[in-house]
Amino acid sequence: MNAKLAIFSVAFVLQAALGYAEESFYGSFYFTSKTPDTLYLLGKIEESDDFELRSALRDHKIETVALASRGGSVLGGLAIAGIVGDRKLRTIIPGGALCASACAYIFLAGSERSANGSLGVHQFASVQGDKEETIGRVQADTQAITSEILGFLREFNTPAFVAEYMFRSREMYWFDEIQIDQLNSTEFTLAPYKQAAIYLVIKGLIDEAERQETLEKKQNGPPKDEPNVEIGTPRLEDDADTKLKKI
């Protein structure tokens, strides 16, 4: 029995055992006592989320960070990645979830990494506060952030092909299975039953979001415009991430 099949098999056994639990949010991070040594990054990464992460780490003995985020603040993602790397935390992308853009920095910072969902990168965008901001200032900021990203990639011993796709285009690039295998740790020591429990937490969040979405549609009717889906995005994971944002 391969590792993924083992995880899903254990998940069925755990489903009945995971009942009521204490929950708390730290910015974009979510904690549940169902998986007391795991913290979940959900939805958009905010620039202040590194402070929220430090607060969560003071309150709980966290060993693993589960990722289900399309990205957000580049600086916030890099700051979180630095903490994850310094604390030698594991990172995991559960099946059915995706980790893209600034979230990818965090995944790559893990002392041990396992991606069962989707991992995507793209060229970051420089943020212009107003139209009067000089081109020189934008270029300086872009160079500084690029240098910081490259420094982190070297620190995490990231394969060279990651930077190639990360700086190639603004369009999201989703790593294929062969590339994911190269990015995953050769040895991922998180017990299969714990991986299964993380999967069930993510699945529960998605199921609850689906329920809320169904209720909203009954009350308000379907949205007029379908949301844009990026080329190459796995549809299942894209839907899952969109639903997580509603939680």
Side-chain angles (χ1 to χ4, degrees):
M1 182 181 294
N2 62 40
K4 287 186 179 180
L5 183 58
I7 290 169
F8 286 106
S9 298
V10 175
F12 287 105
V13 178
L14 286 173
Q15 195 157 18
L18 294 176
Y20 173 78
E22 295 182 6
E23 301 175 321
S24 53
F25 281 91
Y26 297 84
S28 300
F29 289 96
Y30 167 74
F31 172 82
T32 172
S33 58
K34 292 178 181 178
T35 53
D37 56 2
T38 300
L39 198 63
Y40 298 80
L41 176 63
L42 308 174
K44 185 178 179 182
I45 298 170
E46 303 292 347
E47 195 163 329
S48 61
D49 276 335
D50 59 315
F51 294 101
E52 300 289 353
L53 173 57
R54 291 187 184 279
S55 180
L57 293 177
R58 285 194 296 269
D59 292 347
H60 308 286
K61 189 176 180 181
I62 301 299
E63 298 177 356
T64 303
V65 179
L67 304 168
S69 169
R70 187 174 291 280
S73 168
V74 173
L75 295 179
L78 289 172
I80 294 168
I83 296 171
V84 168
D86 290 344
R87 295 293 190 97
K88 302 188 184 308
L89 304 176
R90 296 188 196 91
T91 52
I92 183 171
I93 306 172
L98 62 80
C99 172
S101 190
C103 179
Y105 309 143
I106 303 168
F107 173 74
L108 295 169
S111 61
E112 297 178 12
R113 300 177 302 276
S114 177
N116 298 310
S118 298
L119 178 65
V121 296
H122 67 97
Q123 188 180 77
F124 73 91
S126 59
V127 179
Q128 290 180 264
D130 55 56
K131 293 182 180 179
E132 295 181 357
E133 187 170 20
T134 65
I135 294 176
R137 172 64 183 277
V138 173
Q139 289 177 337
D141 289 347
T142 300
Q143 289 173 355
I145 294 173
T146 299
S147 176
E148 190 73 8
I149 292 171
L150 289 173
F152 269 97
L153 294 180
R154 284 193 296 270
E155 182 180 342
F156 305 146
N157 297 315
T158 308
F161 70 81
V162 173
E164 178 185 345
Y165 290 110
M166 191 173 283
F167 295 105
R168 174 183 290 185
S169 170
R170 290 294 313 284
E171 182 179 316
M172 192 71 71
Y173 176 81
W174 300 95
F175 292 113
D176 60 34
E177 289 187 11
I178 295 175
Q179 292 168 327
I180 289 290
D181 285 342
Q182 294 179 59
L183 295 174
N184 283 344
S185 296
T186 305
E187 184 178 6
F188 192 69
T189 60
L190 185 64
Y193 80 90
K194 288 189 175 183
Q195 295 184 51
I198 290 171
Y199 165 76
L200 286 177
V201 169
I202 289 292
K203 182 178 183 300
L205 292 169
I206 293 173
D207 289 347
E208 176 59 22
E210 284 181 335
R211 188 185 68 81
Q212 293 178 10
E213 187 177 44
T214 300
L215 290 174
E216 288 177 6
K217 284 183 178 179
K218 287 182 179 179
Q219 294 173 355
N220 306 321
K224 294 181 180 179
D225 300 316
E226 278 288 319
N228 292 327
V229 178
E230 292 158 336
I231 297 173
T233 304
R235 182 72 207 195
L236 173 62
E237 286 79 4
D238 180 73
D239 286 346
D241 184 61
T242 300
K243 293 174 180 114
L244 281 173
K245 291 180 182 178
K246 296 178 178 291
I247 299 171

